[in-house]
Coordinates of all heavy atoms in Angstrom, one line a residue:
M16 N 0.8 -1.2 0.0 CA 0.0 0.0 0.0 C 0.9 1.2 0.0 O 1.9 1.3 0.7 CB -0.9 -0.1 1.2 CG -1.7 1.1 1.5 SD -2.8 1.1 2.9 CE -3.1 -0.5 3.3
S17 N 0.5 2.2 -0.8 CA 1.3 3.4 -0.9 C 1.1 4.3 0.3 O 0.1 4.1 1.1 CB 1.0 4.2 -2.1 OG -0.3 4.8 -2.0
S18 N 2.1 5.2 0.6 CA 1.9 6.1 1.8 C 0.7 7.0 1.6 O 0.1 7.3 2.6 CB 3.2 6.8 2.0 OG 3.5 7.7 0.9
A19 N 0.4 7.4 0.4 CA -0.7 8.2 0.1 C -2.0 7.5 0.5 O -2.9 8.0 1.1 CB -0.8 8.7 -1.3
T20 N -2.1 6.2 0.1 CA -3.3 5.4 0.4 C -3.4 5.2 1.9 O -4.5 5.4 2.5 CB -3.2 4.0 -0.3 OG1 -3.1 4.2 -1.7 CG2 -4.4 3.2 0.0
Q21 N -2.3 5.0 2.6 CA -2.4 4.8 4.0 C -2.8 6.2 4.7 O -3.6 6.2 5.7 CB -1.0 4.4 4.6 CG -1.1 4.1 6.1 CD -2.1 3.0 6.5 OE1 -2.0 1.9 5.9 NE2 -3.0 3.3 7.4
Q22 N -2.3 7.3 4.2 CA -2.7 8.6 4.7 C -4.2 8.8 4.5 O -4.9 9.3 5.4 CB -1.9 9.7 4.0 CG -2.1 11.0 4.6 CD -1.2 12.1 3.9 OE1 -0.6 11.8 2.9 NE2 -1.1 13.2 4.5
I23 N -4.7 8.5 3.4 CA -6.2 8.6 3.1 C -7.0 7.8 4.1 O -8.0 8.2 4.7 CB -6.5 8.3 1.7 CG1 -5.9 9.3 0.7 CG2 -8.0 8.1 1.5 CD1 -5.9 8.9 -0.7
I24 N -6.6 6.5 4.3 CA -7.2 5.6 5.3 C -7.2 6.2 6.7 O -8.2 6.2 7.4 CB -6.6 4.2 5.2 CG1 -6.9 3.6 3.9 CG2 -7.1 3.4 6.4 CD1 -6.2 2.3 3.6
D25 N -6.0 6.7 7.1 CA -5.9 7.3 8.4 C -6.8 8.5 8.6 O -7.5 8.6 9.6 CB -4.5 7.7 8.7 CG -3.5 6.5 8.8 OD1 -4.0 5.4 9.0 OD2 -2.3 6.7 8.6
M26 N -6.9 9.3 7.6 CA -7.8 10.5 7.6 C -9.3 10.1 7.7 O -10.0 10.6 8.5 CB -7.5 11.4 6.5 CG -6.2 12.2 6.6 SD -6.0 13.5 5.3 CE -5.7 12.5 3.8
L27 N -9.6 9.1 6.9 CA -11.0 8.6 6.9 C -11.4 8.0 8.2 O -12.5 8.2 8.7 CB -11.2 7.6 5.8 CG -11.3 8.1 4.4 CD1 -11.4 7.0 3.4 CD2 -12.5 9.0 4.2
N28 N -10.5 7.3 8.9 CA -10.7 6.7 10.2 C -11.0 7.8 11.3 O -11.5 7.5 12.3 CB -9.6 5.8 10.5 CG -9.7 4.5 9.8 OD1 -10.8 4.0 9.4 ND2 -8.6 3.8 9.6
M29 N -10.5 9.0 11.1 CA -10.7 10.1 12.0 C -12.1 10.6 12.0 O -12.6 11.2 12.9 CB -9.7 11.2 11.8 CG -8.3 10.8 12.2 SD -7.2 12.3 12.1 CE -7.0 12.6 10.4
L30 N -12.8 10.4 10.8 CA -14.1 11.0 10.6 C -15.2 10.2 11.3 O -15.1 9.0 11.5 CB -14.4 11.1 9.1 CG -13.5 12.0 8.3 CD1 -13.9 11.7 6.8 CD2 -13.7 13.4 8.6
P31 N -16.3 10.9 11.7 CA -17.4 10.2 12.2 C -18.0 9.3 11.1 O -17.8 9.6 9.9 CB -18.4 11.3 12.6 CG -17.6 12.5 12.8 CD -16.4 12.4 11.8
K32 N -18.8 8.3 11.5 CA -19.4 7.4 10.5 C -20.1 8.1 9.3 O -19.9 7.7 8.2 CB -20.3 6.4 11.2 CG -21.1 5.5 10.3 CD -20.3 4.3 10.0 CE -21.2 3.2 9.3 NZ -21.2 3.3 7.9
K33 N -20.9 9.1 9.7 CA -21.7 9.8 8.6 C -20.8 10.4 7.6 O -21.0 10.3 6.4 CB -22.6 10.8 9.2 CG -23.5 11.5 8.3 CD -24.4 12.5 9.0 CE -25.3 13.2 8.0 NZ -26.2 14.2 8.6
E34 N -19.7 11.0 8.1 CA -18.8 11.7 7.1 C -17.9 10.6 6.4 O -17.5 10.9 5.2 CB -17.9 12.7 7.9 CG -18.5 14.0 8.2 CD -19.6 13.9 9.3 OE1 -19.6 13.0 10.0 OE2 -20.4 14.9 9.4
Q35 N -17.7 9.5 7.0 CA -17.0 8.4 6.3 C -17.8 7.9 5.2 O -17.3 7.7 4.0 CB -16.7 7.2 7.3 CG -15.6 7.5 8.2 CD -15.3 6.3 9.1 OE1 -15.7 5.2 8.9 NE2 -14.5 6.5 10.2
D36 N -19.1 7.8 5.4 CA -20.0 7.3 4.3 C -20.0 8.3 3.2 O -20.0 8.0 2.0 CB -21.4 7.1 4.8 CG -21.5 5.9 5.8 OD1 -20.6 5.1 5.8 OD2 -22.5 5.9 6.6
F37 N -20.1 9.6 3.5 CA -20.1 10.7 2.5 C -18.8 10.6 1.7 O -18.8 10.7 0.5 CB -20.2 12.1 3.2 CG -20.1 13.2 2.2 CD1 -21.2 13.5 1.4 CD2 -18.9 14.0 2.2 CE1 -21.0 14.6 0.5 CE2 -18.8 15.0 1.3 CZ -19.9 15.3 0.4
A38 N -17.6 10.5 2.4 CA -16.3 10.4 1.7 C -16.3 9.2 0.8 O -15.7 9.3 -0.3 CB -15.2 10.4 2.8
C39 N -16.8 8.1 1.2 CA -16.8 6.9 0.4 C -17.6 7.2 -0.9 O -17.2 6.8 -2.0 CB -17.4 5.7 1.2 SG -17.3 4.2 0.3
E40 N -18.8 7.8 -0.8 CA -19.6 8.1 -1.9 C -18.8 9.1 -2.9 O -18.9 8.9 -4.1 CB -20.9 8.7 -1.5 CG -21.9 7.7 -0.9 CD -22.1 6.5 -1.8 OE1 -22.4 6.6 -3.0 OE2 -22.0 5.3 -1.2
M41 N -18.1 10.0 -2.3 CA -17.3 11.0 -3.1 C -16.2 10.2 -3.9 O -16.0 10.5 -5.0 CB -16.7 12.1 -2.3 CG -17.8 13.1 -1.7 SD -18.7 13.9 -3.1 CE -17.4 14.8 -3.9
L42 N -15.6 9.3 -3.2 CA -14.5 8.5 -3.8 C -15.1 7.7 -4.9 O -14.4 7.6 -6.0 CB -13.8 7.6 -2.8 CG -12.6 6.9 -3.2 CD1 -11.5 7.8 -3.8 CD2 -11.9 6.1 -2.1
K43 N -16.2 7.1 -4.7 CA -16.9 6.3 -5.8 C -17.1 7.2 -7.0 O -16.9 6.8 -8.2 CB -18.2 5.7 -5.3 CG -18.1 4.6 -4.4 CD -19.4 4.1 -4.0 CE -19.4 3.0 -2.9 NZ -20.7 2.6 -2.4
K44 N -17.5 8.4 -6.8 CA -17.8 9.3 -7.9 C -16.5 9.7 -8.6 O -16.4 9.8 -9.9 CB -18.5 10.6 -7.4 CG -19.9 10.3 -7.0 CD -20.6 11.6 -6.6 CE -22.0 11.2 -6.1 NZ -22.9 12.2 -6.1
I45 N -15.4 9.9 -7.9 CA -14.1 10.2 -8.5 C -13.6 9.0 -9.3 O -13.2 9.1 -10.5 CB -13.1 10.5 -7.4 CG1 -13.4 11.8 -6.7 CG2 -11.6 10.5 -8.0 CD1 -12.6 12.1 -5.5
V46 N -13.8 7.8 -8.8 CA -13.4 6.6 -9.6 C -14.2 6.4 -10.8 O -13.7 6.1 -11.9 CB -13.4 5.3 -8.7 CG1 -13.3 4.1 -9.5 CG2 -12.4 5.4 -7.6
L47 N -15.5 6.6 -10.7 CA -16.4 6.5 -11.9 C -16.0 7.6 -12.9 O -16.1 7.3 -14.1 CB -17.9 6.7 -11.5 CG -18.5 5.5 -10.9 CD1 -19.9 5.8 -10.3 CD2 -18.7 4.4 -11.9
A48 N -15.7 8.8 -12.5 CA -15.2 9.8 -13.5 C -14.0 9.4 -14.2 O -13.8 9.7 -15.3 CB -15.1 11.1 -12.8
W49 N -13.1 8.7 -13.4 CA -11.8 8.3 -14.0 C -12.0 7.1 -14.9 O -11.3 7.0 -15.9 CB -10.9 7.9 -12.8 CG -9.6 7.3 -13.2 CD1 -8.5 7.9 -13.8 CD2 -9.2 5.9 -13.0 NE1 -7.5 7.0 -14.0 CE2 -7.9 5.8 -13.5 CE3 -9.8 4.9 -12.4 CZ2 -7.2 4.5 -13.4 CZ3 -9.1 3.7 -12.3 CH2 -7.9 3.5 -12.8
D50 N -12.9 6.2 -14.5 CA -13.1 5.0 -15.3 C -14.6 4.6 -15.2 O -15.0 3.7 -14.4 CB -12.2 3.9 -14.7 CG -12.3 2.6 -15.6 OD1 -12.9 2.6 -16.6 OD2 -11.7 1.6 -15.1
P51 N -15.4 5.1 -16.1 CA -16.9 4.9 -16.0 C -17.3 3.4 -16.1 O -18.3 3.0 -15.7 CB -17.5 5.7 -17.1 CG -16.4 6.4 -17.8 CD -15.1 6.0 -17.1
D52 N -16.4 2.6 -16.8 CA -16.8 1.2 -17.0 C -15.9 0.3 -16.1 O -16.0 -0.9 -16.3 CB -16.5 0.8 -18.5 CG -17.5 1.6 -19.4 OD1 -18.6 1.8 -19.0 OD2 -17.1 1.9 -20.5
F53 N -15.1 0.9 -15.3 CA -14.2 0.1 -14.4 C -13.3 -0.9 -15.3 O -13.1 -2.0 -14.9 CB -15.0 -0.7 -13.4 CG -15.6 0.1 -12.3 CD1 -17.0 0.4 -12.4 CD2 -14.9 0.7 -11.3 CE1 -17.6 1.2 -11.4 CE2 -15.5 1.5 -10.4 CZ -16.9 1.7 -10.4
T54 N -12.9 -0.4 -16.4 CA -12.1 -1.2 -17.3 C -10.6 -1.0 -17.2 O -9.8 -1.9 -17.7 CB -12.5 -0.9 -18.8 OG1 -12.3 0.5 -19.0 CG2 -13.9 -1.3 -19.0
K55 N -10.2 0.0 -16.5 CA -8.7 0.2 -16.4 C -8.2 -0.6 -15.3 O -8.8 -0.9 -14.3 CB -8.4 1.7 -16.1 CG -8.8 2.6 -17.2 CD -8.6 4.0 -16.9 CE -9.1 4.9 -18.0 NZ -9.4 6.3 -17.6
L56 N -7.0 -1.1 -15.5 CA -6.3 -1.9 -14.5 C -5.3 -1.1 -13.7 O -4.7 -0.2 -14.3 CB -5.6 -3.1 -15.1 CG -6.4 -4.1 -15.9 CD1 -5.5 -5.1 -16.6 CD2 -7.4 -4.8 -15.0
T57 N -5.1 -1.4 -12.4 CA -4.1 -0.7 -11.7 C -2.8 -1.4 -12.2 O -2.8 -2.4 -12.8 CB -4.2 -0.9 -10.2 OG1 -4.1 -2.3 -9.9 CG2 -5.6 -0.4 -9.7
P58 N -1.6 -0.8 -11.9 CA -0.4 -1.4 -12.3 C -0.2 -2.8 -11.7 O 0.3 -3.7 -12.4 CB 0.7 -0.4 -11.8 CG 0.0 0.9 -11.7 CD -1.4 0.6 -11.4
D59 N -0.6 -3.0 -10.5 CA -0.5 -4.3 -9.9 C -1.4 -5.3 -10.6 O -1.1 -6.5 -10.8 CB -0.8 -4.3 -8.4 CG -0.6 -5.6 -7.7 OD1 0.5 -6.1 -7.8 OD2 -1.5 -6.1 -7.1
E60 N -2.7 -4.9 -10.9 CA -3.6 -5.8 -11.6 C -3.1 -6.1 -13.0 O -3.1 -7.3 -13.4 CB -5.0 -5.1 -11.7 CG -5.7 -5.0 -10.4 CD -7.0 -4.1 -10.6 OE1 -7.0 -3.2 -11.4 OE2 -7.9 -4.3 -9.8
A61 N -2.5 -5.2 -13.7 CA -1.9 -5.4 -15.0 C -0.8 -6.5 -14.9 O -0.6 -7.4 -15.7 CB -1.4 -4.1 -15.6
R62 N 0.1 -6.3 -13.9 CA 1.2 -7.2 -13.7 C 0.7 -8.6 -13.4 O 1.2 -9.6 -14.0 CB 2.1 -6.7 -12.5 CG 3.3 -7.6 -12.2 CD 4.0 -7.3 -10.9 NE 3.1 -7.4 -9.7 CZ 2.7 -8.5 -9.2 NH1 3.1 -9.7 -9.7 NH2 1.9 -8.5 -8.1
R63 N -0.3 -8.7 -12.5 CA -0.9 -10.1 -12.2 C -1.6 -10.7 -13.4 O -1.5 -11.9 -13.6 CB -1.8 -9.9 -11.0 CG -1.1 -9.6 -9.7 CD -1.9 -9.4 -8.4 NE -3.3 -9.8 -8.5 CZ -4.3 -9.1 -8.0 NH1 -4.1 -8.0 -7.4 NH2 -5.5 -9.5 -8.2
L64 N -2.2 -9.9 -14.2 CA -2.9 -10.4 -15.4 C -1.9 -11.0 -16.4 O -2.0 -12.0 -16.9 CB -3.7 -9.3 -16.0 CG -4.5 -9.7 -17.3 CD1 -5.4 -10.9 -17.1 CD2 -5.2 -8.5 -17.9
E65 N -0.8 -10.2 -16.6 CA 0.3 -10.7 -17.5 C 0.9 -12.0 -17.0 O 1.2 -12.9 -17.7 CB 1.3 -9.6 -17.7 CG 0.8 -8.5 -18.6 CD 0.3 -9.0 -20.0 OE1 1.0 -9.8 -20.6 OE2 -0.8 -8.6 -20.3
L66 N 1.2 -12.0 -15.7 CA 1.7 -13.2 -15.1 C 0.8 -14.4 -15.3 O 1.2 -15.5 -15.7 CB 2.0 -13.0 -13.6 CG 2.5 -14.3 -12.8 CD1 3.8 -14.7 -13.3 CD2 2.6 -13.9 -11.3
G67 N -0.5 -14.2 -15.1 CA -1.5 -15.3 -15.3 C -1.5 -15.7 -16.7 O -1.6 -16.9 -17.0
K68 N -1.5 -14.8 -17.7 CA -1.4 -15.2 -19.1 C -0.2 -16.0 -19.4 O -0.3 -17.0 -20.1 CB -1.5 -13.9 -20.0 CG -2.8 -13.2 -20.0 CD -2.7 -12.0 -20.9 CE -4.0 -11.2 -21.0 NZ -3.9 -10.0 -21.8
K69 N 0.9 -15.6 -18.9 CA 2.2 -16.4 -19.1 C 2.1 -17.8 -18.5 O 2.5 -18.8 -19.1 CB 3.4 -15.6 -18.6 CG 3.8 -14.4 -19.3 CD 4.9 -13.7 -18.7 CE 5.2 -12.4 -19.4 NZ 6.2 -11.6 -18.8
Q70 N 1.5 -17.9 -17.3 CA 1.4 -19.2 -16.7 C 0.4 -20.1 -17.4 O 0.7 -21.2 -17.6 CB 0.9 -19.0 -15.2 CG 2.0 -18.4 -14.3 CD 1.4 -18.1 -12.9 OE1 0.2 -17.8 -12.8 NE2 2.3 -18.1 -11.9
L71 N -0.6 -19.5 -17.9 CA -1.6 -20.3 -18.7 C -1.0 -20.8 -20.0 O -1.1 -21.9 -20.4 CB -2.8 -19.4 -19.0 CG -4.1 -20.1 -19.5 CD1 -4.5 -21.2 -18.6 CD2 -5.2 -19.1 -19.8
A72 N -0.2 -19.9 -20.7 CA 0.4 -20.2 -21.9 C 1.5 -21.3 -21.7 O 1.7 -22.2 -22.6 CB 1.1 -19.0 -22.6
S73 N 2.1 -21.4 -20.6 CA 3.2 -22.4 -20.3 C 2.6 -23.6 -19.6 O 3.4 -24.5 -19.3 CB 4.3 -21.8 -19.5 OG 3.8 -21.5 -18.2
G74 N 1.3 -23.7 -19.5 CA 0.7 -24.9 -18.9 C 0.7 -24.9 -17.4 O 0.5 -25.9 -16.8
E75 N 1.0 -23.8 -16.7 CA 1.1 -23.7 -15.3 C -0.3 -23.3 -14.8 O -0.6 -22.2 -14.4 CB 2.0 -22.6 -14.8 CG 3.5 -22.9 -15.2 CD 4.4 -21.8 -14.7 OE1 4.2 -21.3 -13.6 OE2 5.2 -21.3 -15.6
F76 N -1.2 -24.3 -14.7 CA -2.5 -24.1 -14.2 C -3.1 -25.3 -13.6 O -2.5 -26.4 -13.7 CB -3.5 -23.6 -15.3 CG -3.6 -24.5 -16.4 CD1 -4.6 -25.5 -16.4 CD2 -2.8 -24.5 -17.5 CE1 -4.8 -26.4 -17.5 CE2 -2.9 -25.3 -18.6 CZ -3.9 -26.3 -18.6
F77 N -4.2 -25.2 -12.9 CA -4.9 -26.3 -12.2 C -6.2 -26.6 -13.0 O -6.9 -25.7 -13.3 CB -5.2 -26.0 -10.8 CG -4.0 -25.9 -9.9 CD1 -3.4 -24.7 -9.6 CD2 -3.4 -27.1 -9.3 CE1 -2.2 -24.6 -8.8 CE2 -2.3 -27.0 -8.5 CZ -1.7 -25.7 -8.3
C78 N -6.5 -27.9 -13.2 CA -7.8 -28.2 -13.7 C -8.8 -28.2 -12.6 O -8.5 -28.3 -11.4 CB -7.7 -29.7 -14.3 SG -6.7 -29.9 -15.7
E79 N -10.0 -27.9 -13.0 CA -11.1 -27.8 -12.0 C -11.2 -29.0 -11.1 O -11.4 -28.9 -9.9 CB -12.4 -27.5 -12.6 CG -13.5 -27.3 -11.6 CD -14.8 -26.9 -12.3 OE1 -14.9 -26.9 -13.5 OE2 -15.8 -26.6 -11.5
S80 N -10.9 -30.2 -11.7 CA -11.0 -31.4 -10.9 C -9.9 -31.5 -9.8 O -10.0 -32.3 -8.9 CB -11.0 -32.6 -11.8 OG -9.8 -32.7 -12.5
E81 N -8.8 -30.8 -10.0 CA -7.7 -30.8 -9.1 C -7.9 -29.9 -7.9 O -7.1 -29.9 -6.9 CB -6.4 -30.4 -9.8 CG -6.0 -31.3 -10.9 CD -4.8 -30.8 -11.6 OE1 -4.8 -29.7 -12.1 OE2 -3.8 -31.5 -11.7
I82 N -8.9 -29.1 -7.9 CA -9.2 -28.1 -6.9 C -10.2 -28.6 -5.9 O -11.3 -29.0 -6.2 CB -9.6 -26.7 -7.5 CG1 -8.6 -26.2 -8.5 CG2 -10.0 -25.7 -6.4 CD1 -9.0 -25.0 -9.3
D83 N -9.8 -28.5 -4.6 CA -10.7 -28.8 -3.5 C -11.4 -27.5 -3.1 O -11.0 -26.8 -2.3 CB -10.0 -29.4 -2.3 CG -10.9 -29.8 -1.2 OD1 -12.1 -29.6 -1.3 OD2 -10.3 -30.4 -0.2
W84 N -12.6 -27.2 -3.7 CA -13.2 -26.0 -3.6 C -13.7 -25.7 -2.1 O -13.8 -24.6 -1.7 CB -14.4 -25.9 -4.5 CG -14.0 -25.8 -5.9 CD1 -14.1 -26.8 -6.8 CD2 -13.5 -24.7 -6.6 NE1 -13.6 -26.4 -8.0 CE2 -13.2 -25.1 -7.9 CE3 -13.2 -23.4 -6.3 CZ2 -12.7 -24.3 -8.9 CZ3 -12.7 -22.5 -7.2 CH2 -12.4 -23.0 -8.5
D85 N -13.9 -26.8 -1.4 CA -14.3 -26.6 0.0 C -13.1 -26.3 1.0 O -13.4 -26.0 2.1 CB -15.0 -27.9 0.5 CG -16.3 -28.1 -0.2 OD1 -17.0 -27.1 -0.6 OD2 -16.6 -29.3 -0.5
N86 N -11.9 -26.5 0.5 CA -10.7 -26.3 1.4 C -9.6 -25.5 0.6 O -8.5 -25.9 0.6 CB -10.2 -27.7 1.8 CG -11.2 -28.4 2.7 OD1 -11.5 -28.0 3.8 ND2 -11.7 -29.5 2.2
L87 N -10.0 -24.4 0.0 CA -9.1 -23.6 -0.7 C -7.9 -23.2 0.1 O -6.7 -23.1 -0.4 CB -9.7 -22.4 -1.4 CG -10.7 -22.8 -2.5 CD1 -11.4 -21.5 -3.0 CD2 -10.0 -23.5 -3.7
D88 N -8.1 -22.8 1.4 CA -7.0 -22.3 2.2 C -5.9 -23.4 2.4 O -4.8 -23.1 2.7 CB -7.5 -21.9 3.5 CG -8.3 -20.6 3.4 OD1 -8.1 -19.9 2.4 OD2 -9.2 -20.3 4.3
N89 N -6.3 -24.7 2.3 CA -5.3 -25.8 2.5 C -4.6 -26.3 1.3 O -3.8 -27.2 1.3 CB -6.1 -26.9 3.2 CG -6.6 -26.5 4.5 OD1 -6.1 -25.7 5.2 ND2 -7.8 -27.1 4.9
M90 N -4.9 -25.7 0.1 CA -4.3 -26.1 -1.1 C -2.9 -25.8 -1.2 O -2.5 -24.7 -0.9 CB -5.0 -25.5 -2.4 CG -6.3 -26.2 -2.8 SD -6.8 -25.7 -4.4 CE -5.5 -26.3 -5.5
D91 N -2.1 -26.7 -1.7 CA -0.6 -26.5 -1.9 C -0.5 -26.0 -3.4 O -0.7 -26.9 -4.3 CB 0.2 -27.7 -1.7 CG 1.7 -27.5 -2.0 OD1 2.1 -26.3 -2.1 OD2 2.4 -28.5 -2.1
L92 N -0.3 -24.8 -3.6 CA -0.2 -24.2 -5.0 C 1.2 -24.3 -5.6 O 1.4 -23.7 -6.7 CB -0.8 -22.8 -5.0 CG -2.2 -22.7 -4.5 CD1 -2.6 -21.2 -4.5 CD2 -3.2 -23.4 -5.4
N93 N 2.1 -24.9 -5.0 CA 3.4 -25.0 -5.6 C 3.6 -26.3 -6.3 O 3.1 -27.3 -6.2 CB 4.5 -24.9 -4.5 CG 4.4 -23.6 -3.8 OD1 4.3 -22.6 -4.5 ND2 4.5 -23.5 -2.5

């Protein structure tokens, strides 16, 4: 998390609940103005997407039958 993000969180946490809700709605409007379709990726999302594409292309993936959906936290992904 960037220092600016942490600073924003710290400031929001100082506000009363009503003002936190207002600030959240304002932030949503800012994000919608920046990306009305939520189609832009953050740099981290873009990096993770490219990594996933490379892993898929090289055969580094799990078949659905190999996944224990009820115990995802216990899966060994290595």
